[in-house]
Amino acid sequence: MEGVVHTDSDASAFKECFSLTWKNPYVLRLAFSAGIGGLLFGYDTGVISGALLYIRDDFKSVDRQTVLQESIVSMAVAGAIIGAAIGGWMNDRFGRRTAILIADFLFFIGAVVMASAPSAPLLIVGRVFVGLGVGMASMTSPLYISEASPAKIRGALVSTNGFLITGGQFLSYLINLAFTKAPGTWRWMLGIAGLPALVQFVLMLLLPESPRWLYRKGREEEAKVILRKIYPAEDVEKEIRDLKESVEAEISEEGPAKINIMKLLETKTVRRGLVAGVGLQVFQQFVGINTVMYYSPTIVQLAGFASNQTALLLSLITAGLNALGSIVSIYFIDRTGRKKLLLISLFGVALSLGLLAGVFHETTSHTPMVSQVQTSHFSNYTCPEYGSARNPGAWNCMKCLKASSPSCGFCASPTNKLLPGACLVSNDTVKDLCHGESRLWYTRGCPSNFGWLALIGLALYIISFSPGMGTAPWIVNSEIYPLRFRGVCGGIAATANWISNLIVAQSFLSLTEAIGTSWTFLIFGVISVVALLFVIVYVPETKGLPIEEIEKMLETRTLHFRFWERSHKSQEKSQAV
């Protein structure tokens, strides 16, 4: 029951969440219906990584210009920044349910525009619409679930949103694979995204508004009806009393003044909550997760796997591990706690990024040489820069791929891909000629024996990231702010997440071209160590605490190394109960 912290909650939270299937399916229906917003978020993140491989084939301007590739990926993120910012205000003004319905409408429109886009610019317009919907849903879905969940299982239920995010990513890779041979490949991949938005729109029309938002807006009877459906009879009156006290305290303290940034920063509980919440959202992106999800097929090709289909298939495994990690989070989030799970997660992320940096360093420094004999076999298609080089004997695969005006590719030796190959002009004709002689054609990465180590590093990264940093930042942000400021603060944190996402997505390919993949992953690794230190100092433990008690904790505690621990007095109180 919310209002009482049970001492055995760690052991029983997951079982109690699972038992809702037959005890109170209404709560699960609320959680999973709102969680479809997470599915949309995840699907869009995953689908573009595979679709981009085929968009590049259809639109040659996209293939030639890295900035266009980054724009197609990142304009959805730019839209999400605006969507999250507007969504925060909209949540407090019109309610959580209304915000989700608007998000679904925008996402559906964007999916239709993308599927029918005749050119790259219109495709980018569709991506912006999708981004607006994803941005709103990304902060509203966990907030709605959190406010409709009992404290004891709140973490597990909000984690279902994280599971649906990763499930959406996994589904996107399955759909990418399913349509690799279909006419209009990428159009199906992007267009089918409108279906879950339509499904959620219908489901949310049949569900109520958040009971806490209703109570805060003076619609107390409506809120009580919903709370009686969510809580057992013996718990609901205590929950209503706690909610009433919390709302009355906020009104008496804050008065009728409108919310503004200065007011947020002047309020101690809000300021401390924003430091922890915004910090977590920024670090979630700056340790590189959406780089891995957006560009995982490209990363696989950088590791030396030439085929688009092979890259998509191997990326499907990565997405599956991500979904598995979110299931682990549902089990452990209310047992281990948010903070401990974050620390374990970041430790594993730092180690795996170090491994990836080392693997890519070896991959790029041990690539096959370019053979004049092999190249002359395709005499009419020799790479111009290689043909005019003063010392062609010093050229290797990586140097060949970096050639421009025009861009060049590496046609591997027919007997062994690690032996010297040919450096040729990169176009469809040459690609077909190379494949016609049973050779592998490389344009984004070189043949290597270290490719499987890169996959292991990616797998370790996902396994480490998903259970902790993948879900905990959204959970903490859904429960750490006072009710009066929850929509606005959640919007600020989600906006910070999407801005960070945009910075990483827009710069990743350019960064790998400028300093190399190895150094790029090393930078992410250093940031993950900084994130670990941040969590130790600034992030409180909110496991099992009623939302109203979290506010009291932020008010009375100071920021220091033991800030996350509950006070001795609070522990004695919970044990006495």
Side-chain angles (χ1 to χ4, degrees):
M1 139 175 108
E2 191 160 344
V4 178
V5 181
H6 294 267
T7 56
D8 64 344
S9 63
D10 289 2
S12 61
F14 180 78
K15 292 179 181 177
E16 185 164 324
C17 184
F18 184 73
S19 71
L20 287 176
T21 306
W22 61 87
K23 284 185 178 178
N24 191 351
Y26 181 74
V27 175
L28 275 187
R29 186 153 65 92
L30 289 175
F32 277 96
S33 296
I36 294 175
L39 185 78
L40 296 175
F41 179 2
Y43 185 87
D44 179 70
T45 302
V47 76
I48 194 61
S49 63
L52 190 60
L53 298 175
Y54 296 93
I55 293 169
R56 289 171 65 165
D57 291 339
D58 275 9
F59 298 142
K60 296 305 177 185
S61 59
V62 175
D63 190 46
R64 289 192 300 268
Q65 300 178 53
T66 300
V67 67
L68 268 181
Q69 296 170 41
E70 290 176 333
S71 295
I72 288 171
V73 172
S74 58
M75 281 305 100
V77 184
I81 292 170
I82 300 169
I86 295 173
W89 168 81
M90 193 173 291
N91 267 271
D92 283 339
R93 182 69 182 271
F94 301 109
R96 299 18 171 166
R97 177 173 169 267
T98 302
I100 291 174
L101 290 172
I102 294 172
D104 290 331
F105 175 75
L106 290 170
F107 196 99
F108 184 80
I109 294 297
V112 172
V113 171
M114 288 190 300
S116 58
S119 63
L122 197 58
L123 177 60
I124 291 172
V125 171
R127 296 286 295 158
V128 172
F129 270 95
V130 164
L132 288 168
V134 168
M136 285 187 192
S138 68
M139 58 82 52
T140 307
S141 294
L143 181 58
Y144 182 91
I145 297 168
S146 176
E147 292 187 343
S149 303
K152 189 177 179 182
I153 56 172
R154 186 176 61 240
L157 285 176
V158 178
S159 286
T160 61
N161 184 67
F163 167 68
L164 288 168
I165 291 174
T166 56
Q169 289 168 340
F170 183 73
L171 177 65
S172 72
Y173 284 114
L174 281 177
I175 288 174
N176 282 350
L177 274 174
F179 286 108
T180 52
K181 299 293 185 182
T185 308
W186 60 269
R187 297 184 187 277
W188 285 103
M189 294 175 180
L190 299 177
I192 206 168
L195 291 179
L198 193 60
V199 170
Q200 187 181 40
F201 188 90
V202 173
L203 289 175
M204 291 306 297
L205 285 175
L206 305 175
L207 290 174
E209 182 53 79
S210 158
R212 284 181 168 80
W213 183 85
L214 288 172
Y215 208 100
R216 185 68 180 79
K217 294 297 180 180
R219 295 158 65 178
E220 298 177 10
E221 292 307 314
E222 291 178 62
K224 289 176 182 178
V225 169
I226 300 165
L227 287 170
R228 288 191 175 99
K229 291 182 179 180
I230 294 171
Y231 290 89
E234 65 272 16
D235 296 345
V236 69
E237 294 306 321
K238 177 69 166 65
E239 169 62 24
I240 291 171
R241 283 199 304 273
D242 287 345
L243 183 56
K244 182 180 179 181
E245 289 174 7
S246 174
V247 170
E248 288 176 351
E250 281 186 15
I251 293 172
S252 63
E253 180 183 342
E254 304 298 339
K258 291 184 177 180
I259 297 172
N260 56 59
I261 295 297
M262 290 307 298
K263 193 170 188 64
L264 293 178
L265 297 178
E266 288 170 2
T267 308
K268 188 192 296 183
T269 53
V270 177
R271 186 172 63 249
R272 290 176 175 172
L274 279 173
V275 168
V278 171
L280 280 177
Q281 295 286 34
V282 169
F283 280 120
Q284 186 191 60
Q285 296 304 319
F286 272 77
V287 299
I289 180 57
N290 276 326
T291 291
V292 172
M293 299 316 298
Y294 286 138
Y295 296 112
S296 56
T298 303
I299 292 169
V300 169
Q301 289 183 329
L302 286 171
F305 297 91
S307 163
N308 279 0
Q309 279 185 283
T310 302
L312 283 175
L313 183 60
L314 293 173
S315 299
L316 178 64
I317 297 171
T318 302
L321 289 171
N322 200 18
L324 180 64
S326 61
I327 295 173
V328 172
S329 175
I330 293 173
Y331 182 76
F332 281 105
I333 196 74
D334 286 315
R335 292 168 59 91
T336 306
R338 287 72 158 140
K339 189 181 190 83
K340 194 178 292 184
L341 209 55
L342 282 167
L343 294 174
I344 294 169
S345 175
L346 284 166
F347 181 75
V349 164
L351 288 179
S352 56
L353 286 169
L355 173 61
L356 281 169
V359 168
F360 277 100
H361 174 74
E362 291 300 307
T363 300
T364 54
S365 58
H366 295 83
T367 63
M369 300 301 293
V370 175
S371 164
Q372 288 181 306
V373 174
Q374 292 284 344
T375 304
S376 63
H377 179 68
F378 302 90
S379 56
N380 295 330
Y381 301 103
T382 300
C383 175
E385 283 192 33
Y386 173 74
S388 60
R390 291 184 179 181
N391 186 16
W395 274 54
N396 61 17
C397 173
M398 285 305 299
K399 192 165 185 178
C400 175
L401 299 190
K402 289 179 180 178
S404 57
S405 301
S407 57
C408 297
F410 183 80
C411 185
S413 168
T415 54
N416 185 333
K417 67 179 183 178
L418 298 177
L419 293 176
C423 184
L424 309 172
V425 173
S426 178
N427 59 43
D428 289 340
T429 302
V430 176
K431 177 182 175 182
D432 292 340
L433 282 173
C434 184
H435 286 162
E437 296 190 5
S438 300
R439 298 167 179 250
L440 293 173
W441 176 247
Y442 294 88
T443 56
R444 295 158 199 164
C446 290
S448 172
N449 277 336
F450 298 101
W452 288 104
L453 268 179
L455 292 182
I456 291 170
L458 282 175
L460 288 174
Y461 175 88
I462 293 296
I463 291 169
S464 299
F465 180 93
S466 184
M469 282 299 286
T471 55
W474 297 104
I475 294 171
V476 171
N477 273 281
S478 71
E479 60 192 9
I480 201 173
Y481 307 115
L483 179 58
R484 171 177 165 81
F485 302 105
R486 198 166 295 152
V488 170
C489 291
I492 291 171
T495 302
N497 181 291
W498 286 107
I499 290 173
S500 305
N501 189 326
L502 177 63
I503 292 169
V504 174
Q506 188 68 23
S507 62
F508 174 72
L509 289 181
S510 300
L511 204 58
T512 57
E513 288 179 3
I515 64 174
T517 312
S518 175
W519 281 102
T520 302
F521 279 115
L522 190 61
I523 290 171
F524 288 147
V526 171
I527 293 173
S528 66
V529 173
V530 176
L532 191 147
L533 297 174
F534 174 86
V535 171
I536 290 173
V537 177
Y538 291 108
V539 178
E541 179 55 78
T542 57
K543 177 186 71 172
L545 290 175
I547 290 177
E548 289 73 27
E549 276 194 27
I550 294 171
E551 182 179 347
K552 294 175 185 175
M553 177 183 66
L554 289 169
E555 176 68 36
T556 57
R557 302 292 286 178
T558 55
L559 294 177
H560 54 73
F561 285 102
R562 294 189 180 275
F563 170 59
W564 63 88
E565 292 183 354
R566 292 169 55 209
S567 67
H568 179 68
K569 182 177 179 181
S570 177
Q571 288 174 346
E572 286 180 346
K573 179 182 175 183
S574 65
Q575 289 169 358
V577 174

